[in-house]
């Protein structure tokens, strides 16, 4: 189900240490939603790269890795680059992990242009705001949520984004708060 590589195992170890249980489950769900979406649409992707990016994409929201100047996705991307190089990846592969994480908060990236960034955008938009519910059948939802429940993810995530918005109003998190992410989180069919 998950990639079985040293980098994948290390990414899970890092995410488990620094993410709250709710944020960790969100990161794992992002991977699972993305792989489901990819299978349904015949999108080929680099499984290990996508897994590592999914698990590390929100580290910039954690107390330990929050950056007072950079948007959380930029901070998370830099951490992913460092992680990738430390895991023995070539610098170009580490840079791809960084790019995927940064782009997941930018305007839509087409699957044909960048499969992994597209998957992380779709998966996190679904998990956070309930976008594209038609892509995720009830059976898939129930299975994923049973294994990786939301816990208090909505409240934690909103608190993180509001904090980011207050300190970095021009960031994507700031724009999300200004455009009503709290309402979207509350209306998410995932709960």
């Amino acid at each position: 189900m998950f990639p079985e590589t040293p980098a994948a195992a290390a990414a899970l170890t890092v995410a488990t240490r620094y993410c709250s249980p709710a944020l960790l489950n969100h990161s794992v769900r992002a991977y699972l939603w993305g792989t489901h979406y990819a299978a349904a649409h015949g999108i080929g992707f680099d499984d290990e790269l996508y897994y590592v990016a999914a698990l590390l994409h929100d580290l910039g929201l954690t107390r330990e890795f929050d950056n007072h100047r950079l948007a959380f996705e930029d901070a998370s991307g830099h951490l992913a680059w460092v992680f990738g190089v430390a895991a023995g990846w070539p610098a170009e592969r580490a840079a791809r992990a960084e790019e995927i994480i940064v782009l997941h908060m930018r305007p839509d990236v087409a699957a044909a242009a960048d499969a992994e960034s597209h998957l992380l955008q779709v998966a996190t938009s679904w998990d956070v705001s309930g976008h594209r519910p038609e892509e995720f059948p009830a059976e898939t939802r129930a299975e994923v949520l049973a294994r990786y429940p939301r816990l208090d993810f909505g409240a934690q995530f909103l608190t993180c984004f509001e904090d980011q918005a207050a300190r970095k109003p021009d960031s994507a998190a700031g724009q999300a708060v200004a455009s009503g992410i709290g309402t979207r989180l509350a209306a998410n069919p995932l709960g």
Side-chain angles (χ1 to χ4, degrees):
M1 174 185 250
F2 299 116
E4 295 182 6
T5 68
L12 180 59
T13 299
V14 169
T16 300
R17 173 160 182 185
Y18 291 106
C19 293
S20 69
L23 194 59
L24 176 63
N25 283 0
H26 160 69
S27 298
V28 174
R29 285 192 310 270
Y31 170 78
L32 294 171
W33 299 135
T35 59
H36 167 80
Y37 179 86
H41 292 274
I43 299 170
F45 65 99
D46 183 319
D47 194 36
E48 178 190 52
L49 184 62
Y50 178 61
Y51 181 79
V52 168
L55 287 182
L56 304 181
H57 82 276
D58 278 342
L59 282 180
L61 292 174
T62 67
R63 180 176 46 91
E64 294 84 356
F65 297 114
D66 184 15
N67 185 297
H68 71 283
R69 293 183 187 214
L70 294 177
F72 84 92
E73 67 273 15
D74 293 321
S76 298
H78 288 298
L79 287 165
W81 186 90
V82 170
F83 172 89
V85 170
W89 288 358
E92 297 79 22
R93 184 169 181 76
R96 275 291 296 135
E98 178 181 14
E99 179 180 42
I100 293 162
I101 291 170
V102 169
L103 290 178
H104 97 279
M105 290 297 293
R106 301 298 187 263
D108 190 38
V109 175
D114 183 341
E116 294 81 15
S117 295
H118 179 74
L119 295 177
L120 194 57
Q121 285 177 329
V122 169
T124 57
S125 293
W126 163 240
D127 201 63
V128 172
S129 299
H131 290 173
R132 302 184 188 205
E134 70 282 357
E135 297 288 353
F136 304 95
E139 183 178 306
T140 301
R141 293 180 197 185
E143 180 182 313
V144 170
L145 292 172
R147 293 184 65 208
Y148 302 97
R150 289 179 67 79
L151 306 172
D152 63 342
F153 172 70
Q156 280 189 34
F157 195 77
L158 183 58
T159 298
C160 288
F161 260 44
E162 287 174 339
D163 176 62
Q164 293 282 313
R167 293 181 293 119
K168 307 166 203 175
D170 294 330
S171 67
Q175 294 167 7
V177 169
S179 70
I181 194 168
T183 301
R184 292 188 300 278
L185 275 162
N188 189 328
L190 295 173

